[in-house]
């Protein structure tokens, strides 16, 4: 035995090897996952395909309509369609109680009226007071015309019909 191996073994591996072979350090050591120093390399993961789309799920989990889409819904003919929807048993509250400004369905009239008093609804109304961004405004911002500040739009909470039958 002129030379010992030049790699590092953990004490547990040395003790196991000595006990197993009944001799002092041997010509060929017992290799295991613990013999290499540093971080172990994980090569595969069976659930990796599920983890790839997790970022997209987080971004779209509570996705709400954008303000320009709500401005489109506030056009009188679109608003009439949204507020007078047919009964849909798959929707919350059978699609009969809809907040036009927040784009939310409610279980009953009372919960919708309570929603009208919340900070969430009032903040949404405040954001909707500003006119939506248009292509013409984008061109003016890029130097193709003079700047015109956005107009203010009058937004009030939608009227509620109380036909409780």
């Amino acid at each position: 035995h002129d030379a010992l191996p030049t790699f590092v073994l953990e004490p547990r591996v040395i003790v196991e090897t000595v006990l197993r072979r009944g001799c002092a350090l041997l010509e060929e050591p017992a290799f295991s996952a613990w013999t290499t120093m540093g971080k172990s390399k994980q090569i595969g993961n069976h659930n990796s395909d599920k983890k790839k789309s997790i970022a997209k799920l987080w971004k779209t989990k509570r996705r709400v309509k954008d303000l320009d889409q709500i401005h489109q819904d506030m056009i009188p003919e679109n608003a009439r369609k949204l507020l007078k929807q047919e009964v849909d048993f798959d929707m919350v509250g059978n699609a009969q109680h809809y907040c036009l400004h927040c784009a939310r369905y409610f279980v009953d009239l009372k919960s919708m009226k309570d929603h009208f008093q919340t900070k969430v609804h009032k903040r949404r109304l405040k954001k909707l007071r500003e006119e939506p961004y248009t292509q013409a405004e984008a061109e003016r911002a890029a130097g193709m015309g003079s700047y015109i500040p956005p107009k203010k739009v009058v937004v009030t909470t939608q009227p509620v019909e109380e036909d409780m039958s």
Side-chain angles (χ1 to χ4, degrees):
H1 299 287
D2 43 82
L4 289 176
T6 58
F7 47 85
V8 178
L9 293 176
E10 289 186 1
R12 187 181 63 78
V13 175
I14 295 172
V15 170
E16 285 177 1
T17 308
V18 169
L19 290 175
R20 194 173 338 127
R21 296 202 182 168
C23 61
L25 255 184
L26 333 139
E27 298 84 15
E28 28 182 293
F31 285 101
S32 68
W34 295 280
T35 58
T36 58
M37 299 292 287
K39 211 170 165 182
S40 66
K41 243 171 99 175
Q42 182 179 1
I43 295 172
N45 185 2
H46 292 290
N47 298 327
S48 65
D49 57 333
K50 294 177 188 173
K51 292 179 182 176
K52 288 178 186 171
S53 63
I54 207 162
K56 189 170 186 176
L57 286 175
W58 284 344
K59 290 176 188 174
T60 59
K61 185 174 184 180
R62 291 183 185 89
R63 184 83 175 108
V64 293
K65 282 188 176 181
D66 291 325
L67 296 178
D68 57 339
Q69 293 172 322
I70 292 175
H71 272 283
Q72 288 295 319
D73 290 346
M74 288 170 45
I75 296 172
E77 56 268 7
N78 294 345
R80 200 173 307 111
K81 289 177 190 174
L82 286 169
L83 294 176
K84 302 285 184 187
Q85 295 183 36
E86 294 180 16
V87 175
D88 183 4
F89 294 109
D90 293 332
M91 300 296 291
V92 175
N94 299 332
Q96 297 303 299
H97 309 287
Y98 182 74
C99 176
L100 188 64
H101 305 104
C102 300
R104 285 183 60 185
Y105 291 94
F106 293 93
V107 176
D108 57 1
L109 189 64
K110 182 185 180 319
S111 61
M112 187 168 79
K113 282 184 176 180
D114 292 343
H115 163 74
F116 289 156
Q117 303 303 319
T118 62
K119 283 185 179 181
V120 175
H121 181 76
K122 291 175 183 177
R123 285 181 188 144
R124 179 56 66 99
L125 288 179
K126 193 171 184 179
K127 286 181 184 177
L128 286 170
R129 287 188 189 135
E130 192 169 309
E131 185 181 55
Y133 196 71
T134 61
Q135 181 61 35
E137 189 175 352
E139 290 172 358
R140 287 194 302 268
M144 303 167 74
S146 56
Y147 175 73
I148 301 171
K151 298 175 185 169
K152 296 291 179 185
V153 179
V154 177
V155 180
T156 57
T157 300
Q158 66 199 40
V160 177
E161 293 182 14
E162 300 197 28
D163 54 348
M164 301 290 286
S165 34

